[in-house]
């Protein structure tokens, strides 16, 4: 096949060079956006008098036909075409003859690929936002169902203070709200049209890039044509936002993996989201959570690919930029897949409150409350802290917990201890007393759920 760009050279390239240069194997996924962009371009050319209305109509009818045929699988991508842009143009020319060659007037593949990618990512990010919203709802519902389920809260993975499972889950809900707003924010900056930048310098034709921008649903146009064709900041921003999102899913996964181990047994994953072992009959493995944790590395890698591709290239377009696509496509696919499996895994996850409660009773997690109790009796906090530390040391030595120390034993540490201390260290009371904003007390947790509900309603 003669190269579309034959002229300056004979257009005869080495087969290996062709394969190396070709991007159709991965950029063909943008065919819909490529055709939509071309239709907007051809209509604009007619509106500006560069093409006649009939010419533009004939081009757009043929483009619509190509889109239909591709959708229906009647037309397949030719691997010999260099990229999706060349492919569509070649088919168009095959179908309507010389008129097809007019489509590329006042346009370059440089602004074409830039507009395709923005359109494609806009669709994908919107889908990811809806998947994220589904996950946020699932986390919110699990949290609401567990506002009174007491578990140990951890620091250093050591039992620290009593919290509720609902409160703990809401921490992830908060992260997801940030993931959502981060993507929405990136979308705003991304949603400007580079079409009309042409190769890099703009065009001599009397075109109007505002027309194509409006037709394609952009909020505006790139204000500098050189930037228009060479900007991939939106890819970097999206990959950074995806990386943060995956980091959250990965931390959540790590906890789910721990929680479903026999050492914790705080949750039971639904059978549908676990796997067995080929040799050990007793195994029920949290593979989905492990894979999400593992795939986080891929997405971080994609971010670094993008940053590294961009760091050394001079303005404006360079072929290095073709390498942007596989990285961002891989990240998009990975994030979507992870969210699709994560949401039902969370929604069907069964908490085991008895086990959480048992764990909460073992780790002296009410020690801070006991110190606060002494503070209430007029003892300075630092001294109260020391006394309670001694009580805990005594318990550890004698196989006791704070709840089972006798009044007599307590009195031997400090005469200010009294019968009311037992209520002060009761785990439910410890939780309920944490009424500070954002705290683990029920009233505070319910307010956090209200916040998530308002967020989900778009308030
Ligand atoms: N396949 C190319 C890419 O993905 C399209 C732009 C090609 N532009 C060029 N001047 N060779 O970046």
């Amino acid at each position: 096949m003669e190269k579309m760009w034959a002229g300056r050279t004979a257009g005869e390239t080495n087969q290996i060079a062709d394969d190396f240069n070709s991007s159709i194997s991965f950029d063909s996924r943008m065919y819909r956006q490529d055709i939509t962009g071309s239709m907007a371009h051809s209509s604009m050319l007619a509106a500006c008098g560069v093409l006649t209305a009939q010419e533009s109509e004939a081009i757009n009818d043929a483009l619509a036909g190509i889109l239909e045929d591709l959708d229906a699988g009647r037309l397949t991508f030719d691997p010999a075409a260099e990229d999706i842009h060349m492919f569509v143009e070649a088919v168009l020319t095959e179908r309507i003859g010389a008129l097809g060659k007019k489509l590329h007037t006042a346009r370059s593949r440089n602004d074409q690929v830039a507009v395709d990618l923005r359109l494609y990512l806009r669709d994908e990010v919107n889908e990811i936002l809806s998947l994220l919203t589904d996950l946020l709802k699932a986390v919110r519902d699990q949290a609401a169902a567990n506002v009174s389920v007491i578990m140990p809260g951890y620091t250093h993975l050591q039992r620290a203070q009593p919290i509720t499972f609902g409160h703990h889950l809401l921490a992830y809900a908060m992260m997801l709200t940030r993931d959502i707003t981060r993507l929405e924010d990136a979308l705003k900056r991304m949603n400007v049209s580079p079409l009309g930048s042409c190769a890099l310098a703009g065009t001599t034709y009397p075109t109007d890039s505002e027309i194509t921008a409006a037709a394609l649903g952009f909020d505006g146009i790139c204000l500098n044509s050189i930037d228009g064709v060479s900007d991939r900041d939106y890819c970097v921003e999206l990959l950074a936002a995806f990386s943060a999102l995956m980091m959250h899913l990965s931390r959540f996964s790590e906890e789910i993996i721990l929680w479903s181990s026999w050492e914790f047994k705080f949750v039971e994953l639904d059978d549908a989201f676990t796997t067995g072992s080929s040799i050990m009959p007793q195994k029920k493995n949290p593979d989905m959570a492990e894979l999400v944790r593992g795939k986080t590395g891929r997405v971080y890698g994609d971010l670094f690919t993008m940053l590294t591709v961009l760091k050394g290239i001079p303005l404006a377009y360079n072929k290095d930029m073709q390498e942007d696509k596989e990285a961002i496509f891989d990240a998009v696919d990975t994030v979507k897949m992870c969210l699709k499996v994560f949401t039902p895994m969370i929604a069907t996850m069964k908490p085991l409150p008895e086990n959480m409660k048992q764990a909460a009773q073992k780790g002296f997690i009410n020690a801070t409350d006991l110190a606060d109790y002494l503070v209430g009796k007029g003892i300075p906090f630092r001294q109260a802290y020391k006394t309670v530390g001694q009580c805990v040391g005594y318990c550890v030595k004698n196989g006791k917990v704070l709840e089972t120390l006798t009044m007599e034993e307590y009195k031997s540490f400090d005469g200010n201890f009294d019968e009311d201390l037992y209520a002060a260290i009761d785990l439910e009371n410890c939780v309920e007393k944490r009424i500070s904003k954002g705290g683990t007390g029920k009233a505070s947790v319910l307010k956090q759920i209200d916040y998530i509900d308002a967020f989900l309603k778009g308030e």
Side-chain angles (χ1 to χ4, degrees):
M1 181 161 89
E2 188 186 70
K3 290 282 182 299
M4 197 94 59
W5 37 259
R8 162 71 177 82
T9 69
E12 279 163 24
T13 45
N14 175 285
Q15 184 58 49
I16 294 172
D18 268 353
D19 294 346
F20 189 63
N21 198 36
S22 169
S23 56
I24 191 151
S25 64
F26 51 87
D27 64 20
S28 55
R29 68 158 83 191
M30 303 192 299
Y31 74 86
R32 183 181 310 279
Q33 290 77 17
D34 191 75
I35 292 173
T36 313
S38 287
M39 290 166 90
H41 179 67
S42 123
S43 302
M44 179 279 292
L45 289 180
C48 297
V50 180
L51 291 180
T52 67
Q54 292 88 326
E55 283 175 329
S56 163
E57 232 167 78
I59 288 174
N60 284 358
D61 284 350
L63 285 172
I66 294 172
L67 181 56
E68 255 182 60
D69 290 351
L70 284 171
D71 277 342
R74 282 190 295 269
L75 179 64
T76 49
F77 300 112
D78 176 4
E82 192 178 314
D83 53 28
I84 184 61
H85 327 294
M86 294 297 210
F87 173 76
V88 172
E89 194 181 324
V91 177
L92 180 70
T93 306
E94 225 172 76
R95 294 191 178 183
I96 60 171
L99 178 58
K101 298 184 184 180
K102 288 196 177 183
L103 172 64
H104 211 52
T105 314
R107 187 176 71 169
S108 154
R109 270 189 298 161
N110 299 350
D111 58 342
Q112 191 178 356
V113 72
V115 82
D116 289 6
L117 192 55
R118 285 181 196 245
L119 289 172
Y120 177 82
L121 290 174
R122 193 174 68 188
D123 291 346
E124 293 294 318
V125 171
N126 280 319
E127 197 186 327
I128 288 172
L129 279 169
S130 109
L131 292 170
L132 259 172
T133 306
D134 292 344
L135 175 57
L136 179 57
K137 281 184 194 146
V139 175
R140 178 254 176 245
D141 289 350
Q142 274 285 14
N146 290 283
V147 280
S148 303
V149 171
I150 291 178
M151 70 180 276
Y154 294 82
T155 63
H156 311 268
L157 202 58
Q158 303 286 321
R159 290 169 190 162
Q161 291 183 343
I163 56 170
T164 64
F165 190 49
H167 186 214
H168 192 101
L169 290 176
L170 282 166
Y172 286 104
M174 297 302 167
M175 295 177 220
L176 294 173
T177 64
R178 292 195 295 276
D179 290 323
I180 290 172
T181 48
R182 234 188 307 274
L183 284 174
E184 286 172 345
D185 194 44
L187 263 186
K188 276 184 224 149
R189 264 184 304 281
M190 181 170 92
N191 202 31
V192 289
S193 177
L195 194 58
S197 300
C198 300
L200 79 162
T203 178
T204 53
Y205 293 94
T207 54
D208 186 348
S209 50
E210 303 277 0
I211 294 180
T212 42
L216 295 169
F218 286 108
D219 298 323
I221 59 165
C222 296
L223 297 177
N224 176 300
S225 61
I226 300 170
D227 185 44
V229 290
S230 51
D231 171 30
R232 295 292 183 273
D233 287 6
Y234 55 96
C235 296
V236 174
E237 281 193 56
L238 289 182
L239 286 165
F242 292 156
S243 295
L245 160 61
M246 289 301 296
M247 179 266 289
H248 294 151
L249 296 187
S250 187
R251 292 180 79 170
F252 205 166
S253 295
E254 170 65 14
E255 298 217 277
I256 288 167
I257 293 160
L258 285 173
W259 292 340
S260 41
S261 72
W262 281 109
E263 282 68 16
F264 280 79
K265 264 294 166 242
F266 285 0
V267 301
E268 180 81 32
L269 289 178
D270 192 273
D271 289 358
F273 295 96
T274 59
T275 62
S277 152
S278 60
I279 168 170
M280 298 166 281
Q282 84 284 12
K283 291 301 282 296
K284 181 172 167 184
N285 297 327
D287 289 31
M288 306 307 131
E290 292 168 63
L291 274 171
V292 169
R293 190 177 57 183
K295 284 176 188 293
T296 301
R298 290 172 75 116
V299 176
Y300 291 1
D302 293 328
L303 170 63
F304 262 77
T305 299
M306 189 67 66
L307 286 167
T308 312
V309 163
L310 295 173
K311 80 179 270 288
I313 50 181
L315 299 177
Y317 177 86
N318 298 265
K319 195 63 175 246
D320 315 41
M321 291 165 87
Q322 184 164 285
E323 288 293 312
D324 58 2
K325 281 169 222 63
E326 280 168 297
I328 190 100
F329 292 165
D330 179 68
V332 162
D333 293 348
T334 305
V335 165
K336 272 175 23 183
M337 236 178 352
C338 289
L339 287 170
K340 278 182 193 168
V341 76
F342 210 84
T343 300
M345 181 180 74
I346 294 296
T348 56
M349 177 177 79
K350 260 203 227 54
L352 302 170
E354 269 315 304
N355 295 348
M356 294 188 198
K357 186 76 184 275
Q358 251 180 39
Q361 277 157 351
K362 278 185 199 146
F364 301 102
I365 62 179
N366 42 9
T368 316
D369 296 84
L370 189 58
D372 288 343
Y373 166 84
L374 281 180
V375 170
K377 303 273 174 184
I379 312 294
F381 181 77
R382 201 36 78 203
Q383 190 187 324
Y385 170 95
K386 191 163 180 194
T387 304
V388 174
Q390 287 162 348
C391 295
V392 170
Y394 176 85
C395 285
V396 172
K397 238 188 243 145
N398 295 283
K400 295 195 160 203
V401 289
L402 294 175
E403 287 88 335
T404 57
L405 280 192
T406 63
M407 206 57 244
E408 209 184 331
E409 286 169 311
Y410 271 121
K411 289 277 190 201
S412 73
F413 289 103
D414 192 316
N416 289 294
F417 280 125
D418 226 325
E419 284 296 335
D420 55 348
L421 77 87
Y422 294 104
I425 60 171
D426 172 78
L427 291 183
E428 255 136 63
N429 289 337
C430 295
V431 165
E432 273 331 292
K433 275 184 300 184
R434 286 192 165 67
I435 48 170
S436 58
K437 283 194 179 125
T440 206
K442 190 167 181 178
S444 164
V445 169
L446 290 177
K447 278 201 186 115
Q448 296 167 50
I449 295 178
D450 287 346
Y451 171 82
I452 299 296
D453 287 342
F455 181 91
L456 284 166
K457 276 197 226 130
E459 286 164 11

